[in-house]
Amino acid sequence: MFSPLLRPAAALLLASAILSPLPAPLLAQDAPHPKALEQAGVPKGTLTQMPPWESTVFAGTTRDWWVYVPAQYRPDKPAALMVFQDGHDYIKPQGNWRAPVVFDNLIAAGLMPVTLAVFINPGHAKDLPPAKSPWQSSNRSFEYDSLGDRYAQFLLNEILPELEKTYRLSNDPKDRALCGASSGGACAFTAAWERPESFGKVLSTIGSFTNLRGAHHYPAWIRKTERKPIRVYLEDSSGDVDNAYGNWPLANQQMAAALRYMGYDARLDFAEGYGHNSKHGGPLFPEALQWLWRTEDFKPAQETPDPKKPLGGDMPLQRLLIEGEPWRLVADNLVFTDGPCSDAAGNFYFSDLKAPAIFKVSPEGAVSKIRELGASGLKFGPDQRLYACQPAEKRVVAIPLDNGPVEVLASDVQPNDLAVSHRGHVYFTETGKKQVSWIDATTRQLRAADVGITGPNGITLSPDQTTLAVSDYKGQHVWVFRVEPDGSLSAKAPYMTLRTELDNSDPRPAQRDPVFKTASGGDGMTCDLQGRYYVASKVGIQVFDPTGRLCGVVSRPQPQKPLTSCALSGPGLQYLYATQGDKVFRRKVQADACLPHLGPAPGSGR
């Protein structure tokens, strides 16, 4: 996708794996593309300036905006949508973009779908004198360069609902694109990155993926985050900006390399010369739109590292996730799911705390209720009983699967989640007490094993049972301990650092650098036989290698809803399960779970 083609006249490097390059003489003169010129017989859409928009997401600001409606639009069929940041620049009749004319020509030729366009300017504070130009709008850098989903919320909660009062728009993210240049290009990518379920296409030219307000993080994040369903077009040139905030040409090449590494449907057009302007991107615009809106499905090359070559010890997400295997719904119409775990036969178990009930899911996906008990943590012990935390009853119990009596192991406690060793030692978190507690299941001896983690929550044992890991819901780390022969814990250390959400609680922070929340939401955990740790968190399931390095973040099944926990189960322990609110999901992965004390599967003869 990134193979270059040299244009002798200006030493232009143009990625041409999919599209034919523009004619060299045309680009050499920086003349408009033929599709940017009005053509006889082509139906013309309408461009309407809307009343100034006063935002609530960006309180105290106002902005100009325009709506383009193609001549082919019909109210009985949902139209595609493209939103342009710095909209004033794209509608200039003699500018480098001439977007309404390009849309007219491409739609008429069937080279892009019937697409409405919103051209929107950055906000400007109402209590300030008018800006000399839209480029100098007071809120531009804050809106465009900031990370997080605030701008996406502005579009989804304000602009699109207003548009939908008059026009019928498609809800398919493949039919929704975002476009911008410079900071507007970074803004377009950020909105799609945060809300890929709403926006599936990005066109960014001379994008500011530098440290203006944090966009320099993206190349690293892209490499350590499950690929999102976004198609991305990038453009830049060697003459772009190089200043205290970063080097724009290098930043865009870093973005392209990261997207390529993770198998995105992405393209970079890069040229020698030019500068921080639209003299290169403008003539490429019609071809970029054709590439962005093409109908062929993209199939990324499957990354299958040779297991005999561990890539220097790295354990990237490509070693875990299977191409084309999405999250699939297992159970719904529940209330609050938690406590996922597995037995040796590959049956999966979870609890609905509010029912209350414990459910079993067969490897084939059949769901059945096995006990009318609620639990926030479930694990099988060496005696093949289910050990459970029951926070409402303030107790830890052992539950036989034959409907026998429940044995109370500890009472008057505040249990959240637990882990059970092959020796019958039970470790459980008491989040409110900032404590990890220990029970000997045989003698019922109870004691505090550790005190001091801000919000101890998820808990799991390493494959060899020598390490106990505990997630901190209110902090940024997963803490690990050495498990001593008597069950006591030692060598406490903040071994893994969890990625946290951006903190956008301040409506207008004074600092330019992004602010991240201190609470990760680290919740339920599991471990596999490769020594990887899986931690449910606010940003997704975070996977760490045995050295404590982040392998990557697996997306949440429902992007806007929190996770409670995760577990590995199924035949060969091939499924990663996630409990998320009123639903349970699973997906096929390439991992073996850490379940050393489950014993043989029934009927195995061992």
Side-chain angles (χ1 to χ4, degrees):
M1 300 288 301
F2 297 88
S3 57
L5 177 70
L6 183 63
R7 191 198 78 185
L12 174 66
L13 290 175
L14 182 67
S16 58
I18 290 183
L19 299 179
S20 298
L22 298 183
L26 178 64
L27 282 180
Q29 300 168 14
D30 297 322
H33 189 285
K35 289 291 194 293
L37 300 174
E38 292 188 4
Q39 299 179 4
V42 170
K44 295 182 180 180
T46 60
L47 181 68
T48 304
Q49 182 164 5
M50 308 297 288
W53 186 266
E54 296 187 5
S55 175
T56 55
V57 172
F58 299 109
T61 65
T62 184
R63 71 198 64 226
D64 292 329
W65 63 305
W66 300 259
V67 174
Y68 163 87
V69 181
Q72 296 85 352
Y73 169 74
R74 299 293 180 268
D76 60 343
K77 186 176 181 180
L81 174 70
M82 192 163 188
V83 180
F84 291 79
Q85 281 53 247
D86 292 313
H88 65 96
D89 197 39
Y90 291 89
I91 61 174
K92 292 178 181 178
Q94 300 303 316
N96 289 326
W97 304 106
R98 309 183 190 194
V101 174
V102 174
F103 270 49
D104 288 343
N105 291 328
L106 294 183
I107 292 171
L111 297 175
M112 65 180 287
V114 175
T115 306
L116 271 71
V118 173
F119 302 94
I120 190 162
N121 283 352
H124 186 71
K126 293 188 295 182
D127 57 358
L128 292 177
K132 293 181 179 180
S133 80
W135 300 111
Q136 297 176 5
S137 297
S138 64
N139 224 41
R140 184 174 183 273
S141 178
F142 177 64
E143 293 179 12
Y144 288 2
D145 294 316
S146 296
L147 305 186
D149 69 348
R150 187 174 315 177
Y151 193 82
Q153 289 182 37
F154 162 69
L155 294 178
L156 294 171
N157 298 337
E158 296 187 26
I159 299 301
L160 268 60
E162 182 67 17
L163 198 63
E164 289 172 329
K165 291 179 182 178
T166 306
Y167 306 104
R168 188 177 178 193
L169 303 176
S170 171
N171 291 321
D172 188 338
K174 293 181 180 179
D175 293 335
R176 290 183 170 188
L178 298 165
C179 178
S182 187
S183 293
C187 174
F189 183 83
T190 293
W193 176 264
E194 292 289 340
R195 301 298 293 269
E197 75 281 5
S198 298
F199 302 105
K201 292 178 168 64
V202 174
L203 195 162
S204 169
T205 60
I206 57 172
S208 298
F209 298 105
T210 52
N211 193 15
L212 293 173
R213 291 181 185 266
H216 64 297
H217 288 290
Y218 279 130
W221 286 353
I222 290 167
R223 292 174 183 270
K224 292 294 183 80
T225 303
E226 181 181 358
R227 185 177 67 247
K228 301 187 180 190
I230 308 169
R231 179 177 289 175
V232 183
Y233 174 89
L234 302 172
E235 174 275 334
D236 204 2
S237 66
S238 65
D240 204 350
V241 176
D242 182 9
N243 63 22
Y245 297 106
N247 182 291
W248 268 244
L250 290 178
N252 277 276
Q253 291 177 78
Q254 287 273 31
M255 286 288 293
L259 292 166
R260 177 177 55 202
Y261 171 77
M262 287 303 293
Y264 276 80
D265 185 1
R267 167 176 175 161
L268 170 66
D269 280 353
F270 192 86
E272 293 299 324
Y274 295 98
H276 196 70
N277 53 49
S278 56
K279 292 182 179 180
H280 178 234
L284 293 177
F285 180 57
E287 301 288 343
L289 286 175
Q290 291 179 61
W291 180 86
L292 198 71
W293 288 104
R294 74 190 196 281
T295 57
E296 312 87 269
D297 289 332
F298 172 74
K299 295 182 179 180
Q302 172 66 28
E303 296 281 352
T304 53
D306 185 345
K308 296 180 180 179
K309 297 179 181 179
L311 299 176
D314 287 342
M315 302 179 75
L317 282 181
Q318 291 96 321
R319 288 185 175 275
L320 173 67
L321 303 182
I322 300 173
E323 184 66 41
E325 288 291 340
W327 287 108
R328 301 182 190 277
L329 182 66
V330 173
D332 62 359
N333 299 317
L334 302 161
V335 183
F336 190 87
T337 59
D338 202 355
C341 69
S342 181
D343 67 14
N347 296 298
F348 173 74
Y349 298 78
F350 71 92
S351 168
D352 186 347
L353 270 168
K354 302 296 183 181
I358 297 174
F359 296 89
K360 173 183 175 180
V361 181
S362 71
E364 296 74 30
V367 181
S368 58
K369 184 190 296 186
I370 62 169
R371 296 295 293 257
E372 292 189 351
L373 296 168
S376 62
L378 290 172
K379 293 292 187 302
F380 276 93
D383 56 4
Q384 304 305 298
R385 292 188 297 175
L386 267 176
Y387 287 69
C389 294
Q390 294 189 296
E393 292 81 6
K394 297 183 177 181
R395 65 184 191 178
V396 176
V397 299
I399 305 170
L401 294 185
D402 60 2
N403 288 320
V406 172
E407 179 184 357
V408 178
L409 303 177
S411 57
D412 196 24
V413 290
Q414 301 174 22
N416 186 331
D417 200 357
L418 54 74
V420 186
S421 76
H422 57 70
R423 297 184 180 185
H425 295 161
V426 181
Y427 300 90
F428 65 96
T429 54
E430 297 190 76
T431 307
K433 295 172 66 174
K434 302 181 180 180
Q435 180 170 302
V436 178
S437 298
W438 173 89
I439 306 170
D440 185 316
T442 302
T443 65
R444 298 190 187 180
Q445 180 185 359
L446 170 66
R447 66 171 182 250
D450 175 75
V451 177
I453 298 175
T454 309
N457 194 320
I459 187 168
T460 193
L461 286 158
S462 64
D464 61 5
Q465 302 268 294
T466 62
T467 301
L468 182 76
V470 179
S471 66
D472 187 352
Y473 190 87
K474 297 180 179 180
Q476 295 176 273
H477 297 105
V478 174
W479 295 79
V480 298
F481 304 83
R482 181 168 56 239
V483 178
E484 303 293 349
D486 64 354
S488 62
L489 303 178
S490 63
K492 179 180 180 181
Y495 196 62
M496 301 166 232
T497 301
L498 291 160
R499 187 188 296 178
T500 62
E501 295 178 300
L502 287 155
D503 186 352
N504 284 333
S505 58
D506 188 338
R508 187 62 194 248
Q511 71 283 341
R512 296 180 67 89
D513 291 336
V515 177
F516 296 90
K517 295 180 180 179
T518 56
S520 65
D523 212 315
M525 297 178 61
T526 192
C527 184
D528 66 26
L529 290 178
Q530 306 301 316
R532 287 176 291 212
Y533 293 89
Y534 303 69
V535 190
S537 74
K538 296 285 189 181
V539 302
I541 298 176
Q542 304 195 43
V543 184
F544 295 85
D545 70 16
T547 71
R549 297 183 301 183
L550 180 66
C551 302
V553 180
V554 181
S555 64
R556 291 173 289 182
Q558 301 174 101
Q560 302 307 314
K561 293 188 177 181
L563 294 162
T564 51
S565 193
C566 58
L568 290 153
S569 187
L573 303 166
Q574 64 182 304
Y575 291 113
L576 175 62
Y577 281 83
T579 51
Q580 191 176 30
D582 60 345
K583 296 178 175 60
V584 177
F585 298 85
R586 77 180 184 185
R587 65 188 298 177
K588 284 187 176 181
V589 293
Q590 303 171 103
D592 294 316
C594 171
L595 299 168
H597 55 66
L598 292 187
S604 67
R606 293 187 287 119

